[in-house]
């Protein structure tokens, strides 16, 4: 219990420090937005980025202010369809050219994110023997005590990508969303549904168990679970050139704008321009056409394969 209390006391001040660092970075970017000196930007606008901008109350006409709002949004920013969904993060990919002091503020923010993430992980480890709902409740109570009952942990943890050493060029490319469709058995589905509702108290789960029990034997081999593993990602790589040739270094996947150290002109290095909307895989479309439009077991994302 002493360890639990000690770890619990560490989290609120770390979360306060995280919000303070995010606020400083946001203020610096808003000042850059209003600076008489132009700083180059390149923000992409796929559908999910436009939705994020709307939720943030920002606009792509003010890219630095929009990015600042995104970095500082560490609590849930609900959309009508996905309130409180921990898997849903606000994403706006792209590049922003910034001066060295802004890079330093982002580096401090990243360190504070790491410290907070580590403290939360240690707290959850101490509670490892408790049931999952109790662990979640205790953590949420702790975050509420810290003044942030709606803290979005994924947005608190994710790092701001940086190019602190100015490269000669930047390579951008879309990595398409990955989607897996796998065959599952009736027994597997039944076991998972029971795990979701062990007391049999959820009418929705019980109805899906009835659907499964009534499935014709000829269709037992047609159950498919669909998992979308990610949105399309913008992959970013730095290119450094010298007499020996070019060196590529992966920066990462840009869920948020990458901050690139600017030169005296305030311009980005040479960079690849890509379409705002990534192309859809035709192969994936063909696989999707073999599935029913509506899920058969919504709780498990299980569909029926249609004959054809």
């Amino acid at each position: 219990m002493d360890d639990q209390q000690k770890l619990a006391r560490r989290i609120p001040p770390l979360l306060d420090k995280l919000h303070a660092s995010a606020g400083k970075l946001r203020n610096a970017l808003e000042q850059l937005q209003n600076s008489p000196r132009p700083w180059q930007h390149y923000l992409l606008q796929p559908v999910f980025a436009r939705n994020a901008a709307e939720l943030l109350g920002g606009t792509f006409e003010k890219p630095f202010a929009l990015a600042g709002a995104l970095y500082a949004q560490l609590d849930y920013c609900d959309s009508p369809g996905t309130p409180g969904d921990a898997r849903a993060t606000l994403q706006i990919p792209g590049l922003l050219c910034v001066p060295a002091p802004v890079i330093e503020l982002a580096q401090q923010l990243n360190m504070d994110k790491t410290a907070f993430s580590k403290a939360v992980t240690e707290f959850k480890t101490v509670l490892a023997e408790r049931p999952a709902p109790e662990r979640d409740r205790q953590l949420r109570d702790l975050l509420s005590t810290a003044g942030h009952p709606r803290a979005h942990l994924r947005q608190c943890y994710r790092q701001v990508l940086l190019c602190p050493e100015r490269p000669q060029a930047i390579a951008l490319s879309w990595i398409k969303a990955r989607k897996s469709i796998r065959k599952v058995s009736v027994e597997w589905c039944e076991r998972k549904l029971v795990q979701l509702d062990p007391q049999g108290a959820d009418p929705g789960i019980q109805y899906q168990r009835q659907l499964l029990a009534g499935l014709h034997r000829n269709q037992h081999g047609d159950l498919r679970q669909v998992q979308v593993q990610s949105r399309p990602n913008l992959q970013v790589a730095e290119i450094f050139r010298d007499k020996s040739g070019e060196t590529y270094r992966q920066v990462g996947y840009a869920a948020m704008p990458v901050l690139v150290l600017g030169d005296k002109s305030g311009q980005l290095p040479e960079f690849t321009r890509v379409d705002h909307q990534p192309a859809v895989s035709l192969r994936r479309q063909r696989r999707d056409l073999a599935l029913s439009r509506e899920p058969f077991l919504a709780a498990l994302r299980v569909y029926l394969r249609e004959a054809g």
Side-chain angles (χ1 to χ4, degrees):
M1 181 62 72
D2 290 341
D3 287 344
Q4 179 182 332
Q5 292 177 348
K6 182 179 179 181
L7 290 168
R9 286 195 296 268
R10 289 178 53 204
I11 290 177
L14 287 172
L15 185 53
D16 288 341
K17 191 168 187 290
L18 173 56
H19 275 269
S21 295
K24 289 178 182 178
L25 179 57
R26 179 177 187 172
N27 290 339
L29 289 167
E30 287 177 346
Q31 292 175 15
L32 212 58
Q33 182 69 62
N34 298 320
S35 170
R37 176 183 177 183
W39 292 87
Q40 191 177 6
H41 55 85
Y42 181 68
L43 295 189
L44 293 164
Q45 300 182 39
V47 173
F48 62 81
R50 294 199 299 270
N51 290 341
E54 183 178 352
L55 288 169
L56 291 166
T59 170
F60 285 93
E61 295 176 359
K62 295 184 176 180
F64 290 90
L66 177 59
L70 178 61
Y71 298 139
Q73 188 61 50
L74 304 176
D75 291 341
Y76 281 111
C77 187
D78 289 346
S79 60
T82 57
D85 186 350
R87 296 167 297 178
T89 54
L90 301 179
Q91 299 187 21
I92 301 175
L95 305 172
L96 294 178
C97 183
V98 298
V102 174
I103 294 285
E104 293 169 3
L105 288 173
Q107 288 172 329
Q108 181 61 56
L109 174 59
N110 284 343
M111 287 190 288
D112 292 338
K113 283 173 173 279
T114 299
F116 173 69
S117 173
K118 181 180 178 182
V120 171
T121 299
E122 291 174 350
F123 179 74
K124 291 168 72 173
T125 299
V126 169
L127 300 176
E129 299 300 321
R130 309 285 179 87
E134 183 180 345
R135 292 199 304 269
D136 293 341
R137 180 183 57 77
Q138 289 204 31
L139 178 57
R140 279 290 146 195
D141 287 346
L142 186 55
L143 297 173
S144 182
T145 301
H148 297 280
R150 298 188 50 71
H152 192 314
L153 293 180
R154 286 196 178 188
Q155 288 177 191
C156 288
Y157 297 163
R158 63 181 180 176
Q159 299 278 295
V160 179
L161 296 184
L162 304 171
C163 295
E165 179 184 350
R166 184 178 174 84
Q168 277 69 52
I170 297 176
L172 305 178
S173 60
W174 279 115
I175 303 299
K176 295 171 185 173
R178 294 167 294 171
K179 189 171 189 176
S180 66
I181 301 175
R182 67 180 184 121
K183 183 176 180 179
V184 292
S185 67
V186 170
E187 293 75 19
W188 181 89
C189 293
E190 171 66 13
R191 186 169 64 254
K192 291 295 182 181
L193 289 172
V194 169
Q195 289 174 358
L196 289 174
D197 183 31
Q199 303 301 321
D202 187 328
I205 298 296
Q206 294 309 304
Y207 173 68
Q208 290 175 64
R209 290 184 66 189
Q210 291 173 16
L211 287 177
L212 187 64
L215 186 66
H216 195 283
R217 181 170 296 276
N218 291 344
Q219 293 181 291
H220 281 198
D222 293 334
L223 294 168
R224 300 289 185 273
Q225 186 187 45
V226 177
Q227 290 184 304
V228 178
Q229 294 154 318
S230 68
R231 291 173 175 145
N233 284 304
L234 185 69
Q235 184 173 260
V236 181
E238 299 174 302
I239 303 173
F240 294 91
R241 299 181 180 127
D242 55 29
K243 294 179 180 179
S244 61
E246 291 187 340
T247 301
Y248 283 74
R249 186 167 67 196
Q250 292 295 329
V251 178
Y253 296 115
M256 302 186 292
V258 179
L259 299 182
V260 183
L261 180 63
D263 59 11
K264 293 181 180 179
S265 68
Q267 295 296 297
L268 289 164
E270 170 192 340
F271 63 91
T272 312
R273 294 181 182 272
V274 297
D275 291 336
H276 283 282
Q277 190 64 39
V280 177
S281 168
L282 294 178
R283 177 175 177 269
R284 198 179 87 194
Q285 284 183 319
R286 288 194 296 271
R287 293 180 70 198
D288 289 352
L289 290 174
L291 301 178
S292 57
R293 288 184 175 273
E294 299 296 327
F296 179 65
L297 305 174
L300 303 178
R301 299 183 301 281
V302 168
Y303 292 72
L304 278 175
R305 184 179 65 86
E306 296 180 337

